[in-house]
Amino acid sequence: MLVAAAVCPAPPLLVPQVAAGAAEELAAARTACSDALAVLAASRPDLLVVIGSSPEGGAYDQGTRGSFAGFGVDLTVRLGPEPEERSGHATGTELPPSLAVGAWLLEQARWAAAPIAGVAVAEGLEPDACALLGADLAASGARVAMLVLGEGSACRTLKAPGYLDARAEGFDAGIGRALAAADTEALAALDPVLARELQAAGRAPWQVLAAAAAGRGLSGRLLYEDAPYGVGYFVAAWS
């Protein structure tokens, strides 16, 4: 049963070593992520599921490593401490970038509140399949918390990765309202075609969260909302 969730963006630039001279530009986002993780720890979970998007889906055990070498930085992270034994359910041996950012956030928070499992959601996973996955994950423990990683549109400005799209601002505004209100129905109703056209990497992970939280009556708080580099970044806490 889901008892709490934290929603954070997952750009590698969130990691100061990757951002280098631009590290201060996302300082407020990092602080908000830390506050959201504190909400997860306070919920006393017996399992933390870290969810992010990737080209292909996969499962990752606690202790799986990720690297930022592909971004020009000699930095390795680990998804929590090395467990005494692996679950045997993992399909991946190295964290994709979104989960590597999640692992970095947990390292900064010195997470020790509960065991960890990592789940990469395929970027193109259909909403119905996201709903099934979310329900399964919520049922994987008596007190499940989720760290959900992803961004909104990448089309907010002329210099954004996806260039400027007039639909992007309204799309992101809807995301912000849904996350602030813990509105699972609004997240579940996100159009995957529009999300893909706007390069919104958070769509599938958010729809997994929506299914996991459906009917739980959680309250939401939006801790950060901005569009640095023309990409919609959100940090929220549900409990």
Side-chain angles (χ1 to χ4, degrees):
M1 179 174 64
L2 187 73
V3 295
V7 174
C8 296
L13 287 174
L14 202 62
V15 179
Q17 295 94 318
V18 176
E24 283 304 305
E25 295 179 15
L26 291 180
R30 290 186 203 99
T31 298
C33 289
S34 177
D35 292 343
L37 285 172
V39 172
L40 294 189
S43 72
R44 298 179 290 108
D46 56 28
L47 175 66
L48 173 66
V49 183
V50 182
I51 304 169
S53 65
S54 69
E56 297 181 357
Y60 298 84
D61 280 336
Q62 178 173 315
T64 303
R65 295 180 181 274
S67 171
F68 291 96
F71 302 95
V73 175
D74 183 17
L75 175 65
T76 298
V77 293
R78 189 170 60 189
L79 191 64
E82 190 72 32
E84 293 183 4
E85 61 180 87
R86 299 280 179 164
S87 71
H89 302 303
T91 59
T93 57
E94 182 173 343
L95 299 174
S98 63
L99 295 186
V101 172
W104 180 84
L105 288 171
L106 291 171
E107 287 185 355
Q108 303 312 298
R110 299 181 181 179
W111 179 267
I116 303 170
V119 176
V121 183
E123 295 166 354
L125 195 67
E126 292 296 327
D128 287 349
C130 290
L132 289 173
L133 176 58
D136 285 347
L137 292 174
S140 60
R143 297 185 62 82
V144 177
M146 288 183 171
L147 170 56
V148 183
L149 300 146
E151 297 82 53
S153 72
C155 304
R156 293 282 293 274
T157 66
L158 292 173
K159 294 184 178 180
Y163 196 64
L164 178 64
D165 190 310
R167 301 170 295 174
E169 186 171 354
F171 178 87
D172 283 349
I175 297 298
R177 290 191 297 270
L179 293 176
D183 188 341
T184 60
E185 291 184 1
L187 293 179
L190 290 174
D191 181 354
V193 175
L194 177 60
R196 182 174 65 251
E197 292 173 352
L198 296 177
Q199 301 182 23
R203 189 275 305 171
W206 294 332
Q207 291 189 319
V208 172
L209 168 62
R216 292 290 303 131
L218 301 180
S219 298
R221 285 188 294 145
L222 189 62
L223 306 179
Y224 176 89
E225 180 180 11
D226 202 356
Y229 318 115
V231 181
Y233 290 169
F234 308 91
V235 180
W238 292 9
S239 61

PDB file of all heavy atoms in Angstrom, residues 167-188:
ATOM      1  N   ARG A 167       2.103  24.656 -26.931  1.00  0.00           N
ATOM      2  CA  ARG A 167       1.298  23.810 -26.052  1.00  0.00           C
ATOM      3  C   ARG A 167       2.006  23.478 -24.743  1.00  0.00           C
ATOM      4  O   ARG A 167       1.383  22.993 -23.789  1.00  0.00           O
ATOM      5  CB  ARG A 167       0.950  22.502 -26.768  1.00  0.00           C
ATOM      6  CG  ARG A 167       0.186  22.688 -28.070  1.00  0.00           C
ATOM      7  CD  ARG A 167       0.090  21.386 -28.844  1.00  0.00           C
ATOM      8  NE  ARG A 167       1.416  20.923 -29.279  1.00  0.00           N
ATOM      9  CZ  ARG A 167       1.632  19.753 -29.878  1.00  0.00           C
ATOM     10  NH1 ARG A 167       0.618  18.927 -30.100  1.00  0.00           N
ATOM     11  NH2 ARG A 167       2.853  19.411 -30.245  1.00  0.00           N
ATOM     12  N   ALA A 168       3.317  23.711 -24.693  1.00  0.00           N
ATOM     13  CA  ALA A 168       4.124  23.223 -23.567  1.00  0.00           C
ATOM     14  C   ALA A 168       3.769  23.892 -22.247  1.00  0.00           C
ATOM     15  O   ALA A 168       3.673  23.229 -21.209  1.00  0.00           O
ATOM     16  CB  ALA A 168       5.604  23.416 -23.877  1.00  0.00           C
ATOM     17  N   GLU A 169       3.572  25.198 -22.264  1.00  0.00           N
ATOM     18  CA  GLU A 169       3.312  25.904 -21.005  1.00  0.00           C
ATOM     19  C   GLU A 169       2.016  25.416 -20.360  1.00  0.00           C
ATOM     20  O   GLU A 169       1.962  25.172 -19.154  1.00  0.00           O
ATOM     21  CB  GLU A 169       3.256  27.409 -21.249  1.00  0.00           C
ATOM     22  CG  GLU A 169       3.139  28.206 -19.960  1.00  0.00           C
ATOM     23  CD  GLU A 169       3.289  29.700 -20.171  1.00  0.00           C
ATOM     24  OE1 GLU A 169       3.590  30.126 -21.301  1.00  0.00           O
ATOM     25  OE2 GLU A 169       3.112  30.453 -19.185  1.00  0.00           O
ATOM     26  N   GLY A 170       0.966  25.260 -21.163  1.00  0.00           N
ATOM     27  CA  GLY A 170      -0.291  24.764 -20.615  1.00  0.00           C
ATOM     28  C   GLY A 170      -0.189  23.332 -20.120  1.00  0.00           C
ATOM     29  O   GLY A 170      -0.782  22.973 -19.096  1.00  0.00           O
ATOM     30  N   PHE A 171       0.554  22.503 -20.845  1.00  0.00           N
ATOM     31  CA  PHE A 171       0.764  21.115 -20.433  1.00  0.00           C
ATOM     32  C   PHE A 171       1.433  21.076 -19.068  1.00  0.00           C
ATOM     33  O   PHE A 171       0.984  20.368 -18.150  1.00  0.00           O
ATOM     34  CB  PHE A 171       1.617  20.404 -21.476  1.00  0.00           C
ATOM     35  CG  PHE A 171       1.954  18.969 -21.149  1.00  0.00           C
ATOM     36  CD1 PHE A 171       1.093  17.939 -21.496  1.00  0.00           C
ATOM     37  CD2 PHE A 171       3.138  18.651 -20.500  1.00  0.00           C
ATOM     38  CE1 PHE A 171       1.395  16.616 -21.202  1.00  0.00           C
ATOM     39  CE2 PHE A 171       3.453  17.333 -20.199  1.00  0.00           C
ATOM     40  CZ  PHE A 171       2.579  16.317 -20.555  1.00  0.00           C
ATOM     41  N   ASP A 172       2.493  21.856 -18.909  1.00  0.00           N
ATOM     42  CA  ASP A 172       3.223  21.858 -17.641  1.00  0.00           C
ATOM     43  C   ASP A 172       2.391  22.451 -16.512  1.00  0.00           C
ATOM     44  O   ASP A 172       2.473  22.005 -15.360  1.00  0.00           O
ATOM     45  CB  ASP A 172       4.533  22.632 -17.784  1.00  0.00           C
ATOM     46  CG  ASP A 172       5.603  21.844 -18.511  1.00  0.00           C
ATOM     47  OD1 ASP A 172       5.418  20.632 -18.718  1.00  0.00           O
ATOM     48  OD2 ASP A 172       6.635  22.437 -18.886  1.00  0.00           O
ATOM     49  N   ALA A 173       1.587  23.470 -16.827  1.00  0.00           N
ATOM     50  CA  ALA A 173       0.735  24.048 -15.789  1.00  0.00           C
ATOM     51  C   ALA A 173      -0.233  23.003 -15.245  1.00  0.00           C
ATOM     52  O   ALA A 173      -0.494  22.937 -14.033  1.00  0.00           O
ATOM     53  CB  ALA A 173      -0.027  25.249 -16.347  1.00  0.00           C
ATOM     54  N   GLY A 174      -0.750  22.163 -16.118  1.00  0.00           N
ATOM     55  CA  GLY A 174      -1.636  21.091 -15.677  1.00  0.00           C
ATOM     56  C   GLY A 174      -0.927  20.088 -14.799  1.00  0.00           C
ATOM     57  O   GLY A 174      -1.485  19.602 -13.805  1.00  0.00           O
ATOM     58  N   ILE A 175       0.319  19.773 -15.156  1.00  0.00           N
ATOM     59  CA  ILE A 175       1.119  18.862 -14.327  1.00  0.00           C
ATOM     60  C   ILE A 175       1.323  19.453 -12.938  1.00  0.00           C
ATOM     61  O   ILE A 175       1.169  18.769 -11.914  1.00  0.00           O
ATOM     62  CB  ILE A 175       2.486  18.589 -14.983  1.00  0.00           C
ATOM     63  CG1 ILE A 175       2.322  17.874 -16.324  1.00  0.00           C
ATOM     64  CG2 ILE A 175       3.374  17.771 -14.051  1.00  0.00           C
ATOM     65  CD1 ILE A 175       1.682  16.532 -16.237  1.00  0.00           C
ATOM     66  N   GLY A 176       1.672  20.725 -12.894  1.00  0.00           N
ATOM     67  CA  GLY A 176       1.897  21.372 -11.607  1.00  0.00           C
ATOM     68  C   GLY A 176       0.658  21.318 -10.726  1.00  0.00           C
ATOM     69  O   GLY A 176       0.738  21.027  -9.521  1.00  0.00           O
ATOM     70  N   ARG A 177      -0.500  21.594 -11.309  1.00  0.00           N
ATOM     71  CA  ARG A 177      -1.746  21.542 -10.526  1.00  0.00           C
ATOM     72  C   ARG A 177      -2.019  20.128 -10.030  1.00  0.00           C
ATOM     73  O   ARG A 177      -2.436  19.927  -8.878  1.00  0.00           O
ATOM     74  CB  ARG A 177      -2.921  22.037 -11.373  1.00  0.00           C
ATOM     75  CG  ARG A 177      -2.903  23.525 -11.668  1.00  0.00           C
ATOM     76  CD  ARG A 177      -4.230  23.977 -12.268  1.00  0.00           C
ATOM     77  NE  ARG A 177      -4.508  23.350 -13.548  1.00  0.00           N
ATOM     78  CZ  ARG A 177      -4.147  23.848 -14.732  1.00  0.00           C
ATOM     79  NH1 ARG A 177      -3.465  24.980 -14.780  1.00  0.00           N
ATOM     80  NH2 ARG A 177      -4.464  23.230 -15.859  1.00  0.00           N
ATOM     81  N   ALA A 178      -1.801  19.142 -10.889  1.00  0.00           N
ATOM     82  CA  ALA A 178      -2.072  17.755 -10.498  1.00  0.00           C
ATOM     83  C   ALA A 178      -1.148  17.303  -9.377  1.00  0.00           C
ATOM     84  O   ALA A 178      -1.582  16.642  -8.422  1.00  0.00           O
ATOM     85  CB  ALA A 178      -1.927  16.838 -11.710  1.00  0.00           C
ATOM     86  N   LEU A 179       0.121  17.654  -9.470  1.00  0.00           N
ATOM     87  CA  LEU A 179       1.065  17.248  -8.431  1.00  0.00           C
ATOM     88  C   LEU A 179       0.782  17.964  -7.117  1.00  0.00           C
ATOM     89  O   LEU A 179       0.906  17.380  -6.036  1.00  0.00           O
ATOM     90  CB  LEU A 179       2.497  17.517  -8.892  1.00  0.00           C
ATOM     91  CG  LEU A 179       2.990  16.663 -10.054  1.00  0.00           C
ATOM     92  CD1 LEU A 179       4.394  17.096 -10.477  1.00  0.00           C
ATOM     93  CD2 LEU A 179       2.986  15.176  -9.698  1.00  0.00           C
ATOM     94  N   ALA A 180       0.384  19.236  -7.195  1.00  0.00           N
ATOM     95  CA  ALA A 180       0.081  19.993  -5.981  1.00  0.00           C
ATOM     96  C   ALA A 180      -1.128  19.420  -5.252  1.00  0.00           C
ATOM     97  O   ALA A 180      -1.189  19.438  -4.019  1.00  0.00           O
ATOM     98  CB  ALA A 180      -0.156  21.459  -6.328  1.00  0.00           C
ATOM     99  N   ALA A 181      -2.081  18.907  -6.010  1.00  0.00           N
ATOM    100  CA  ALA A 181      -3.327  18.411  -5.424  1.00  0.00           C
ATOM    101  C   ALA A 181      -3.351  16.898  -5.256  1.00  0.00           C
ATOM    102  O   ALA A 181      -4.368  16.349  -4.813  1.00  0.00           O
ATOM    103  CB  ALA A 181      -4.511  18.836  -6.304  1.00  0.00           C
ATOM    104  N   ALA A 182      -2.244  16.214  -5.593  1.00  0.00           N
ATOM    105  CA  ALA A 182      -2.230  14.748  -5.598  1.00  0.00           C
ATOM    106  C   ALA A 182      -3.407  14.217  -6.403  1.00  0.00           C
ATOM    107  O   ALA A 182      -4.108  13.288  -5.990  1.00  0.00           O
ATOM    108  CB  ALA A 182      -2.225  14.184  -4.169  1.00  0.00           C
ATOM    109  N   ASP A 183      -3.626  14.831  -7.557  1.00  0.00           N
ATOM    110  CA  ASP A 183      -4.768  14.506  -8.415  1.00  0.00           C
ATOM    111  C   ASP A 183      -4.401  13.325  -9.311  1.00  0.00           C
ATOM    112  O   ASP A 183      -3.851  13.494 -10.400  1.00  0.00           O
ATOM    113  CB  ASP A 183      -5.134  15.733  -9.253  1.00  0.00           C
ATOM    114  CG  ASP A 183      -6.430  15.549 -10.038  1.00  0.00           C
ATOM    115  OD1 ASP A 183      -6.851  14.390 -10.233  1.00  0.00           O
ATOM    116  OD2 ASP A 183      -7.003  16.567 -10.466  1.00  0.00           O
ATOM    117  N   THR A 184      -4.726  12.135  -8.861  1.00  0.00           N
ATOM    118  CA  THR A 184      -4.360  10.936  -9.609  1.00  0.00           C
ATOM    119  C   THR A 184      -5.125  10.819 -10.925  1.00  0.00           C
ATOM    120  O   THR A 184      -4.588  10.319 -11.911  1.00  0.00           O
ATOM    121  CB  THR A 184      -4.588   9.676  -8.766  1.00  0.00           C
ATOM    122  OG1 THR A 184      -5.970   9.599  -8.395  1.00  0.00           O
ATOM    123  CG2 THR A 184      -3.731   9.707  -7.504  1.00  0.00           C
ATOM    124  N   GLU A 185      -6.356  11.288 -10.947  1.00  0.00           N
ATOM    125  CA  GLU A 185      -7.143  11.203 -12.176  1.00  0.00           C
ATOM    126  C   GLU A 185      -6.545  12.076 -13.274  1.00  0.00           C
ATOM    127  O   GLU A 185      -6.508  11.682 -14.446  1.00  0.00           O
ATOM    128  CB  GLU A 185      -8.595  11.597 -11.904  1.00  0.00           C
ATOM    129  CG  GLU A 185      -9.348  10.595 -11.039  1.00  0.00           C
ATOM    130  CD  GLU A 185     -10.808  10.960 -10.879  1.00  0.00           C
ATOM    131  OE1 GLU A 185     -11.237  11.994 -11.460  1.00  0.00           O
ATOM    132  OE2 GLU A 185     -11.522  10.223 -10.177  1.00  0.00           O
ATOM    133  N   ALA A 186      -6.078  13.266 -12.918  1.00  0.00           N
ATOM    134  CA  ALA A 186      -5.479  14.155 -13.916  1.00  0.00           C
ATOM    135  C   ALA A 186      -4.199  13.562 -14.475  1.00  0.00           C
ATOM    136  O   ALA A 186      -3.944  13.639 -15.686  1.00  0.00           O
ATOM    137  CB  ALA A 186      -5.206  15.527 -13.299  1.00  0.00           C
ATOM    138  N   LEU A 187      -3.391  12.952 -13.629  1.00  0.00           N
ATOM    139  CA  LEU A 187      -2.151  12.332 -14.114  1.00  0.00           C
ATOM    140  C   LEU A 187      -2.467  11.122 -14.986  1.00  0.00           C
ATOM    141  O   LEU A 187      -1.827  10.907 -16.025  1.00  0.00           O
ATOM    142  CB  LEU A 187      -1.269  11.928 -12.938  1.00  0.00           C
ATOM    143  CG  LEU A 187      -0.678  13.069 -12.106  1.00  0.00           C
ATOM    144  CD1 LEU A 187       0.158  12.503 -10.960  1.00  0.00           C
ATOM    145  CD2 LEU A 187       0.165  14.004 -12.953  1.00  0.00           C
ATOM    146  N   ALA A 188      -3.438  10.330 -14.572  1.00  0.00           N
ATOM    147  CA  ALA A 188      -3.807   9.146 -15.348  1.00  0.00           C
ATOM    148  C   ALA A 188      -4.334   9.518 -16.728  1.00  0.00           C
ATOM    149  O   ALA A 188      -4.231   8.731 -17.670  1.00  0.00           O
ATOM    150  CB  ALA A 188      -4.845   8.328 -14.589  1.00  0.00           C
TER     151      ALA A 188
END
